[in-house]
Structures are given as C-alpha cells and as structure tokens.
Amino acid sequence: LRRAHLDQVVAALWPSRSGTRRAYSGALAQRNALISRIRQGRASRSSMAVWDREVARHGIALRADRSQAVEQLTAPFAAAAADLGLAGEAALQERPVKRAANEEQLAEQLAEGLDADLERGFTQRGPHRDDLTLLRCDPTTHPTAARELRSYGSQGEQRIALLALLLAEREAIAEARGHPPLLLLDDVMSELDAGRRENLVDRVRAGGQALITTTDVGHVPG
C-alpha cells in the first residue's frame, strides 16, 4: 500500500510518468510467468536473461521516479509534521530490498536470485519489494538514530505523520501543477488535541479546497 501510494504521487506530480509503474508491472509479470514455466519444465533458464534486463530497465526508471518524489516531499513533510506537533525531526526514506546503482546491477541481482525465485515461485528482488518509511529522530531519547514510526511511534504520532505526508503531497502537487488538489480528510479531528486541530485547520485554510468529515462539528475550529 505504501508503494502504491508513492506511485500515485508520482503520477500526480508528473502524469507523463504514470506508465513507468505499468511497464515495470508488465515486465515483472512476464518474468514470473517464465519462472512458473521453468518450474514446470516447459522453459529453460537461459531464456530468463531477456526478462532480467527488461525488469531491470523499467525497475531503475521506477526507482528514479520514486526517489525524485521523495526528494520533493521531504522538506514539506518535515515542516508539516513540526507544525502538527510531532516531537523530533520527521523524515521520509526509501528502503529498497537491495540497492542497485544501475540497470546492469539490478539485472545481476535478479540473475543471482534466480535459484531462490524458482524455489519460491516468484521474483523476490526489485522495486515491487521496496518500501517507504516514515522516520522520526527525537534528540531527547535517541539523539543519533532515526526510528521508524510504524514500529516505534504511538498511534497518535503515526496519524500525525500520515497527515503531514498528505499535506506535503498537496503542497508538492500544487507547486508542480499550478493548483492544489482537493484534500479529503475523513474523521481525523477526533484523534487530535485542540492545539493540533488548530494547526491542521490553519494548514488546510492556507489554500485549495478541502472536504472534512467529523462526528462532532465542535472538533473543527472556527
């Protein structure tokens, strides 16, 4: 879900790149189909090199798109998280299952993992296994390490980080396309204290259209 979300952001920022994910998914599906045929004895391993190169070609392009999107979101995400009261410094980080600097390295990784892929029945390396993580560095508790909010953050902190990410995306898309997208917030106010509600509403009112649902209208300041 995090990968798909990031790919949607890529498509919103640069509509012409929306085909990168589809091209990668198509090449990956062909490689997985070939794995199945090899397991059944209906194809030889020698034919895999073609699809390793194809998956690597589209995979590197997909990672480049995601990296550029994360780079655009990092600063506004940190600013929004601070405004909403998240303690420490927030950051975004891509987490590839295994790093590759170029198409050749990714193709080599795919070839090296073929035995394991044949055993499991699917491709285990590549951008379809990468992750997007939301991090927080809190100098008061862990001054030298950024910790993943999904594992070390409270439910409230995770909610604030998600809101900050959505606000960062709206800001980046508005800058890229000349107008902000519609922002939809479904019953988020009930989990925020009064101060954070005020900060969120101030951010929402800064520009663009927003639709907010709530179980108590008093939770929406003003």
Side-chain angles (χ1 to χ4, degrees):
L1 291 175
R2 288 183 294 277
R3 285 188 295 270
H5 181 83
L6 183 56
D7 291 338
Q8 288 174 346
V9 175
V10 168
L13 288 170
W14 309 289
S16 62
R17 302 187 195 180
S18 60
T20 308
R21 170 65 184 261
R22 291 195 299 271
Y24 176 78
S25 296
L28 180 65
Q30 292 290 344
R31 188 180 191 274
N32 284 336
L34 182 55
I35 287 174
S36 179
R37 291 197 296 273
I38 293 173
R39 282 162 57 96
Q40 296 168 8
R42 296 165 49 205
S44 68
R45 295 169 61 113
S46 61
S47 54
M48 184 60 76
V50 173
W51 287 110
D52 285 350
R53 290 193 296 271
E54 194 71 2
V55 169
R57 180 166 69 92
H58 295 300
I60 290 297
L62 180 58
R63 279 181 173 167
D65 288 347
R66 290 173 175 173
S67 293
Q68 189 173 354
V70 169
E71 184 178 344
Q72 296 247 17
L73 295 173
T74 296
F77 170 68
D83 282 353
L84 294 177
L86 184 68
E89 298 178 5
L92 298 173
Q93 184 183 77
E94 295 171 274
R95 185 168 293 176
V97 65
K98 191 171 185 180
R99 296 191 180 277
N102 49 47
E103 295 178 23
E104 291 74 19
Q105 285 189 11
L106 182 52
E108 289 174 3
Q109 290 175 9
L110 291 166
E112 291 169 358
L114 181 56
D115 287 339
D117 292 346
L118 289 171
E119 183 177 345
R120 297 292 299 276
F122 60 90
T123 303
Q124 298 175 80
R125 297 179 180 181
H128 61 290
R129 302 296 299 277
D130 295 349
D131 203 355
L132 173 69
T133 56
L134 279 61
L135 305 171
R136 186 264 308 273
C137 181
D138 190 345
T140 62
T141 56
H142 298 88
T144 62
R147 311 193 79 179
E148 189 175 346
L149 280 165
R150 184 164 54 124
S151 301
Y152 296 99
S154 68
Q155 185 173 351
E157 289 172 334
Q158 293 177 37
R159 175 58 63 91
I160 291 171
L162 177 57
L163 286 171
L165 180 59
L166 294 176
L167 292 170
E169 289 165 3
R170 185 174 76 150
E171 183 177 328
I173 292 169
E175 184 176 344
R177 306 189 71 173
H179 57 84
L182 174 65
L183 182 65
L184 307 176
L185 297 177
D186 183 20
D187 194 25
V188 299
M189 296 296 184
S190 60
E191 298 190 23
L192 302 177
D193 60 32
R196 290 189 173 100
R197 290 173 193 158
E198 290 277 2
N199 292 341
L200 176 58
V201 168
D202 286 344
R203 276 256 176 185
V204 170
R205 284 180 175 151
Q209 187 177 9
L211 177 62
I212 301 175
T213 69
T214 179
T215 56
D216 184 345
V217 71
H219 286 168
V220 184

